[in-house]
Amino acid sequence: MQILLLATGEQRKLAVLSDAIPAPLLPIANRPLMSYHIEQLARQGFKNILVSLYWLPGYIEAYFQHGQRWGIELNYILQKNALGNAGAVRWARSLIHDTCLVHPVDMLLDLDVPALLAFHRNCGGAMTLVCTPGPAKGSPVVQLDQAQRVLGLCDSQPDRESVVYTGVLVIEPQVLDLIPQRTKYDFCNDLIPVVLSAGMEVYAYRSTGYFNPLASFEDYQRAQEDVLYVAWNDGAGKIGRSLPNIQKIGGQQAASGIWVGRHTAVHPSARLKPPVMIGENSRVGRNVELGPNVVLGDHVIVDDEASVQRSTVLNNTYIGQLVNIDGRIVNQGMVIDVETQEHLQIVDDFLLGGIYDEIVVSSLRRWFDFWLALFFLVLALPVMVVVSGISLFSTGGVFQRELCARGPLQPANPKRETGRRVFPLLRFRTRRSDGSKPKIGQWLERLELNRLAELWSVVSGELSLVGPKPLSVAEAECLTETWQLAHFDRVPGFTGLWYYQTHARSDLDEVLVVDAYYIAMSNWRKDARLLWNTPRAWLSRVLGHQVKMNIF
Amino acid sequence: MELHDRSRAGVKILALEGSFDTYTAEPIRRWLDEATRSAPAHVVVNLSQVDFMDSTALSTLVQGMKRAREKGGELYLCGLQSPVRLIFELTRLDRVFEIFVSEEDAVQAIKGEATH
């Protein structure tokens, strides 16, 4: 049997959260949702798993990689378009040769897969739907006959008697050919009616294990609590509902029902009521009240005298002094009410906010840029004096300014046409006021000596030493596609990969591709090498050679 | 870097093998220029044997796609290995190219495009 996990995130469950964090990575007791599924499957002996990705695929793949950590092999199928759940399976058709278990990851379900497979083989149907008794909001109700054959699905409100479909199914590969290619297609609304009307049989397998559809934030908070109660031996009896089958939980149990991650400091005066779980590198301040039913993520700060109950706080969140959080899910500045599903973005960083590493990194980088550029400026001063003299005598002026654009879009700024920060890029003047270019000006441009004045823009903070190519306002306006817009994530640079791999005649797309690659792959070591090798690159450019250096 | 070209049902297919970077991009650029000279230029580049790509490789493919579209055609990619796909994702170029699992799928899709 083959297994396909649907991690496409198309359903947009828990939308406000899953827009920023892909649903398969949403933490349940500080572990990504999808890891629960992978562990369950690995435990039952399934070593090869296919994963369909669509929304924020890079994050998911970066976390799970090829599954070595679980002793299994994961392979990914990337979708470019939203295809629905059936469409996603059709998209993977060429990799499916056997009976296939299709399992969405945006829910929690304890499933005995060998028993399900035996049931499917026994019945001999084209599909088997995994169903569960009881009311589960948002799940379709299955109508059955005596022999467990599915007659149809309906969206009516489930009651205690009804059987609901969990989203998991087993399907025979030939059924997949009924799904049109590259079309948005749904199992419940599209494929199952077609299969039934073609006279094929669909069976319902009743799973009696734990099921949480994660259809609402209430479900999400309940899932956190369920996992805590499973791990908390003393507490398992205190909650009157079925609990998932989970083998381990993150962090050290510091006291009964209290888990604390590595490098986390809890002030002695804090009062903790189990169950409480605190992630890694977090800090709980003086006189804080935590719990019951609280999960704090990694890099969370709960400041003095704050209190948190029945809530989940995600990674990198700051909770300010005296703030009271009860029945909420908090992700940085975003607060979600578990009961009403309402959400609110807090703009006051003293109450709630995000903790960002980038602030530290970017100020360090700025410090380097400033001092190094100043150093180069002093070093190049004699040359610059000569060049400015040449500019003054040949063109009648010393500097010329080209308007460039950088940074993110600023919506509330009607005056600026590009909507981005506009800054003048300083260069030595090579043209006369009538636009003509003297011979000596052409020489300055060929030797790129006119660009030395840009060092001043680095000192003043408009440019960085290494970065993507500075774009003029007109060029910046041509950038519309997502991959191109990454260009504005970074401060443009005096030098960069573009300086090595493009030349003055390169078209804009070529520059943008090089910069997109640079932005994706760069780190401070590569930046240092780019800067260090710039004089050599300059020599190659001046001599008209192609720069061939193995930096990236 | 090895280039294997073939043609199937009017679609020109280029299968590459090895690492596709600054040092090896030139013959591929020439091949793409040639393939997109006459309309309609339907091209599939099979990257299943490519284990590394750099920025030059990406820009070669972007240029190829632009030229193919100018000639009323398409340039599709197929069979990306994980490290290569990661580069496409990081640069967000995976949303620019049509990328298929197998060469079969890519050729079918491009033929479907041609009949529209």
Side-chain angles (χ1 to χ4, degrees):
Chain A
M1 181 168 75
Q2 288 185 288
I3 294 177
L4 176 67
L5 292 181
L6 296 177
T8 50
E10 267 181 55
Q11 296 257 317
R12 301 195 72 236
K13 274 186 185 174
L14 310 176
V16 202
L17 268 191
S18 61
D19 286 347
I21 306 168
L25 291 185
L26 281 177
I28 306 282
N30 290 340
R31 280 201 297 142
L33 180 52
M34 195 165 104
S35 70
Y36 289 93
H37 298 283
I38 289 184
E39 262 158 43
Q40 172 171 267
L41 291 166
R43 224 166 35 225
Q44 300 186 26
F46 297 97
K47 300 292 181 199
N48 278 294
I49 298 174
L50 294 168
V51 184
S52 282
L53 302 178
Y54 164 65
W55 176 246
L56 303 175
Y59 294 98
I60 298 167
E61 199 177 340
Y63 184 85
F64 291 98
Q65 300 183 347
H66 288 288
Q68 305 91 325
R69 224 185 307 172
W70 293 269
I72 55 162
E73 191 181 334
L74 291 179
N75 281 295
Y76 299 95
I77 304 147
L78 183 73
Q79 275 170 229
K80 209 181 149 201
N81 301 308
L83 295 171
N85 46 21
V89 185
R90 180 68 180 89
W91 179 251
R93 174 71 179 95
S94 62
L95 299 171
I96 296 172
H97 322 288
D98 196 5
T99 308
C100 186
L101 173 73
V102 179
H103 197 320
V105 300
D106 51 4
M107 42 85 120
L108 279 172
L109 173 71
D110 274 353
L111 184 61
D112 183 348
V113 182
L116 165 65
L117 188 63
F119 175 87
H120 176 76
R121 295 255 157 87
N122 254 341
C123 296
M127 295 166 82
T128 297
L129 310 185
V130 176
C131 302
T132 183
K137 255 185 245 161
S139 302
V141 175
V142 186
Q143 294 154 322
L144 297 172
D145 69 2
Q146 294 298 325
Q148 301 301 310
R149 269 190 298 251
V150 174
L151 303 171
L153 298 169
C154 63
D155 281 332
S156 68
Q157 198 62 38
D159 55 41
R160 291 208 162 272
E161 250 64 308
S162 57
V163 175
V164 296
Y165 170 46
T166 58
V168 179
L169 57 85
V170 178
I171 192 164
E172 291 299 325
Q174 62 270 20
V175 182
L176 298 178
D177 296 326
L178 296 174
I179 306 170
Q181 276 197 55
R182 304 169 93 206
T183 312
K184 200 162 181 171
Y185 214 67
D186 187 69
F187 279 120
C188 293
N189 299 329
D190 302 319
L191 184 66
I192 291 171
V194 168
V195 167
L196 289 176
S197 66
M200 286 187 263
E201 284 178 334
V202 179
Y203 285 87
Y205 170 81
R206 286 178 193 241
S207 167
T208 49
Y210 177 84
F211 174 59
N212 185 334
L214 295 181
S216 65
F217 288 105
E218 209 172 346
D219 291 343
Y220 183 62
Q221 176 62 23
R222 203 183 69 223
Q224 316 278 353
E225 295 174 8
D226 289 349
V227 173
L228 290 186
Y229 277 99
V230 170
W232 183 28
N233 297 327
D234 302 347
K238 291 183 189 162
I239 191 166
R241 55 184 186 238
S242 81
L243 293 174
N245 173 20
I246 285 159
Q247 305 283 316
K248 64 175 196 288
I249 184 165
Q252 283 277 330
Q253 193 159 192
S256 174
I258 297 186
W259 292 267
V260 179
R262 285 177 299 171
H263 311 299
T264 284
V266 180
H267 196 277
S269 65
R271 288 183 295 279
L272 277 67
K273 246 185 245 161
V276 169
M277 175 185 257
I278 310 174
E280 298 180 357
N281 301 308
S282 296
R283 197 174 74 83
V284 175
R286 190 166 40 83
N287 287 331
V288 166
E289 284 182 38
L290 277 187
N293 302 349
V294 167
V295 176
L296 304 184
D298 299 337
H299 304 277
V300 168
I301 298 174
V302 183
D303 214 334
D304 299 347
E305 292 177 57
S307 79
V308 185
Q309 287 95 32
R310 290 168 283 275
S311 300
T312 301
V313 180
L314 273 61
N315 298 348
N316 302 316
T317 300
Y318 169 78
I319 293 175
Q321 285 184 22
L322 295 163
V323 169
N324 176 33
I325 306 274
D326 188 354
R328 302 280 190 273
I329 288 158
V330 186
N331 181 29
Q332 303 186 350
M334 167 88 70
V335 186
I336 301 160
D337 186 323
V338 168
E339 237 168 76
T340 63
Q341 314 285 314
E342 280 168 356
H343 64 90
L344 181 68
Q345 186 76 38
I346 308 279
V347 286
D348 184 349
D349 285 339
F350 289 99
L351 291 176
L352 276 182
I355 301 168
Y356 310 102
D357 310 342
E358 293 99 54
I359 296 171
V360 181
V361 175
S362 66
S363 55
L364 204 64
R365 198 187 164 92
R366 175 79 199 99
W367 188 86
F368 270 107
D369 278 347
F370 178 82
W371 288 106
L372 276 175
L374 204 63
F375 173 71
F376 293 139
L377 207 63
V378 172
L379 211 66
L381 205 61
V383 184
M384 288 170 77
V385 169
V386 176
V387 174
S388 58
I390 293 172
S391 288
L392 186 62
F393 285 112
S394 62
T395 64
V398 180
F399 296 115
Q400 68 188 25
R401 288 177 177 80
E402 188 183 2
L403 284 183
C404 290
R406 57 169 261 204
L409 271 180
Q410 299 163 335
N413 202 344
K415 266 190 245 162
R416 289 173 184 159
E417 280 177 16
T418 58
R420 297 180 195 278
R421 185 188 165 89
V422 174
F423 69 96
L425 189 66
L426 213 59
R427 286 188 177 153
F428 288 114
R429 196 159 170 159
T430 53
R431 282 172 194 279
R432 297 196 189 90
S433 47
D434 60 0
S436 65
K437 208 183 277 180
K439 198 107 193 159
I440 191 105
Q442 288 173 20
W443 271 102
L444 283 183
E445 276 185 17
R446 187 169 302 168
L447 291 172
E448 302 187 7
L449 291 174
N450 60 330
R451 287 194 57 218
L452 281 176
E454 288 176 18
L455 283 172
W456 180 250
S457 300
V458 181
V459 172
S460 71
E462 300 288 8
L463 283 188
S464 181
L465 276 172
V466 186
K469 188 177 184 177
L471 297 181
S472 70
V473 171
E475 284 170 329
E477 273 167 12
C478 301
L479 274 57
T480 49
E481 292 176 49
T482 342
W483 70 273
Q484 299 173 326
L485 292 173
H487 198 281
F488 294 112
D489 292 350
R490 296 281 289 267
V491 182
F494 175 72
T495 179
L497 194 62
W498 60 272
Y499 190 72
Y500 289 69
Q501 297 200 343
T502 63
H503 38 79
R505 296 176 309 284
S506 299
D507 75 356
L508 186 60
D509 262 341
E510 207 171 320
V511 174
L512 292 174
V513 171
V514 168
D515 276 336
Y517 184 82
Y518 163 76
I519 289 163
M521 312 294 280
S522 71
N523 56 31
W524 67 269
R525 262 191 222 100
K526 285 176 179 164
D527 279 2
R529 283 166 71 187
L530 282 170
L531 185 63
W532 178 254
N533 286 303
T534 294
R536 265 171 70 200
W538 170 76
L539 201 65
S540 305
R541 281 170 74 102
V542 169
L543 296 174
H545 298 319
Q546 197 187 353
V547 189
K548 287 201 170 168
M549 254 173 256
N550 216 348
I551 288 177
F552 274 73
Chain B
M1 166 114 284
E2 284 178 44
L3 282 71
H4 308 280
D5 60 342
R6 50 183 177 266
S7 173
R8 249 166 71 188
V11 180
K12 293 170 191 139
I13 300 162
L14 177 64
L16 301 175
E17 202 179 323
S19 101
F20 181 5
D21 56 21
T22 317
Y23 306 100
T24 57
E26 194 47 39
I28 298 158
R29 187 187 296 271
R30 276 201 304 269
W31 188 92
L32 286 173
D33 280 354
E34 192 58 42
T36 53
R37 187 147 293 166
S38 56
H42 289 305
V43 180
V44 170
V45 181
N46 185 335
L47 298 171
S48 57
Q49 302 297 318
V50 173
D51 49 18
F52 176 77
M53 278 179 71
D54 73 350
S55 60
T56 316
L58 292 174
S59 79
T60 306
L61 291 176
V62 170
Q63 302 291 337
M65 183 178 66
K66 274 172 62 182
R67 285 185 54 124
R69 288 197 176 153
E70 277 165 23
K71 291 279 156 54
E74 279 292 350
L75 184 149
Y76 287 176
L77 305 177
C78 66
L80 272 60
Q81 289 186 23
S82 288
V84 172
R85 196 177 61 232
L86 208 61
I87 290 171
F88 276 89
E89 280 169 20
L90 286 168
T91 55
R92 304 183 216 186
L93 284 169
D94 57 325
R95 307 274 153 146
V96 176
F97 287 100
E98 292 271 355
I99 300 174
F100 294 85
V101 177
S102 70
E103 190 177 304
E104 192 76 27
D105 289 351
V107 171
Q108 290 237 325
I110 221 163
K111 277 193 333 211
E113 201 69 45
T115 51
H116 275 304

